[in-house]
Amino acid sequence: MGVKRIILVPLTTHGVLEYLDALNEAIGRKLREMGLEGLDVLTWPDTLKPPMKCFDWSRLQYHGGCIVKYLREVFQLIGLFDSSLVVGVGYLDGYEYGLDFVFGEASPDQHVAVVFTKRLKPEYYGEQARFDLYFERLVKETLHELGHLMGLEHCSNYCVMRFSNSILEVDAKPAEYCGDCVLKIKNYISRTK
Ligand SMILES: [Zn+2]
Ligand SMILES: [Zn+2]
């Protein structure tokens, strides 16, 4: 019944597929470096484009909760949830009720999170395209949502679990969990064994 694997699911081809193998490798390496063993990081072989009902035509954004629900339904059918955490990654702009936008969203009860990468691109802010910067932000936001899935709340330490609602705040935090959060994740993993 323990959580054994993390499944990264592309929600778009553009802006994601070209980085997905590198993201998979980076997440797996970072977890191991922090002493978090026993979690396989897999990449889902198909792009699961979110249904149009998740798209809000007045905001031109996708609703995070709707995509989480969609991924839950898809992976429920496959029957992987006892042992898996699912993180959808899409070059999309996402929102949640009461917020102008979100970089991502996680539903720990459902074992599903989503990362929206459109606002992680330097070009979004009128800056020059930079692969390294985009990729670092992508790693941070993926680790952040994954942290929520593994039972973490927001953290005020120098930690990837810091709340960030602007790209400056994303850039200011490290792409690692702090010691406190690593301990909590270890507890989470051993609790679910
Ligand atoms: Zn968060
Ligand atoms: Zn922390």
Side-chain angles (χ1 to χ4, degrees):
M1 156 76 201
V3 167
K4 288 198 284 277
R5 72 179 80 77
I6 293 159
I7 307 177
L8 301 176
V9 182
L11 303 175
T12 58
T13 51
H14 177 68
V16 172
L17 272 195
E18 58 269 47
Y19 309 124
L20 210 58
D21 287 343
L23 181 65
N24 179 319
E25 194 276 326
I27 298 292
R29 178 167 38 80
K30 291 212 172 257
L31 292 175
R32 282 192 304 278
E33 279 170 6
M34 289 182 277
L36 300 166
E37 309 282 346
L39 291 168
D40 283 335
V41 185
L42 304 177
T43 300
W44 196 249
D46 285 330
T47 301
L48 299 183
K49 198 180 173 305
M52 281 319 285
K53 69 174 181 198
C54 295
F55 188 71
D56 184 318
W57 284 95
S58 60
R59 306 177 61 129
L60 302 179
Q61 287 175 308
Y62 282 86
H63 181 236
C66 182
I67 295 182
V68 165
K69 190 161 172 271
Y70 163 68
L71 289 174
R72 175 76 203 183
E73 284 162 4
V74 171
F75 283 89
Q76 187 99 290
L77 289 174
I78 304 167
L80 284 175
F81 271 117
D82 280 353
S83 52
S84 308
L85 302 173
V86 168
V87 183
V89 183
Y91 180 65
L92 304 168
D93 190 15
Y95 77 98
E96 197 37 75
Y97 300 125
L99 296 170
D100 287 343
F101 73 92
V102 290
F103 291 124
E105 182 170 333
S107 175
D109 292 345
Q110 307 199 72
H111 284 204
V112 178
V114 56
V115 174
F116 295 110
T117 76
K118 203 155 194 175
R119 290 176 193 252
L120 301 179
K121 286 221 171 187
E123 301 95 297
Y124 185 86
Y125 304 93
E127 290 161 18
Q128 246 184 356
R130 262 183 64 193
F131 166 76
D132 57 336
L133 185 57
Y134 176 59
F135 186 69
E136 190 176 330
R137 291 166 171 174
L138 187 57
V139 170
K140 287 177 184 177
E141 289 311 298
T142 305
L143 284 174
H144 182 95
E145 297 310 333
L146 202 50
H148 284 312
L149 292 186
M150 296 189 288
L152 300 181
E153 314 262 333
H154 288 139
C155 175
S156 53
N157 295 341
Y158 184 64
C159 176
V160 78
M161 291 312 292
R162 262 193 198 177
F163 176 74
S164 45
N165 197 37
S166 75
I167 202 66
L168 292 176
E169 290 170 311
V170 174
D171 289 340
K173 66 185 180 182
E176 267 111 39
Y177 304 108
C178 72
D180 295 352
C181 286
V182 168
L183 275 183
K184 285 180 194 164
I185 293 177
K186 283 184 176 165
N187 281 334
Y188 169 86
I189 295 173
S190 62
R191 260 205 323 276
T192 60
K193 259 181 192 143

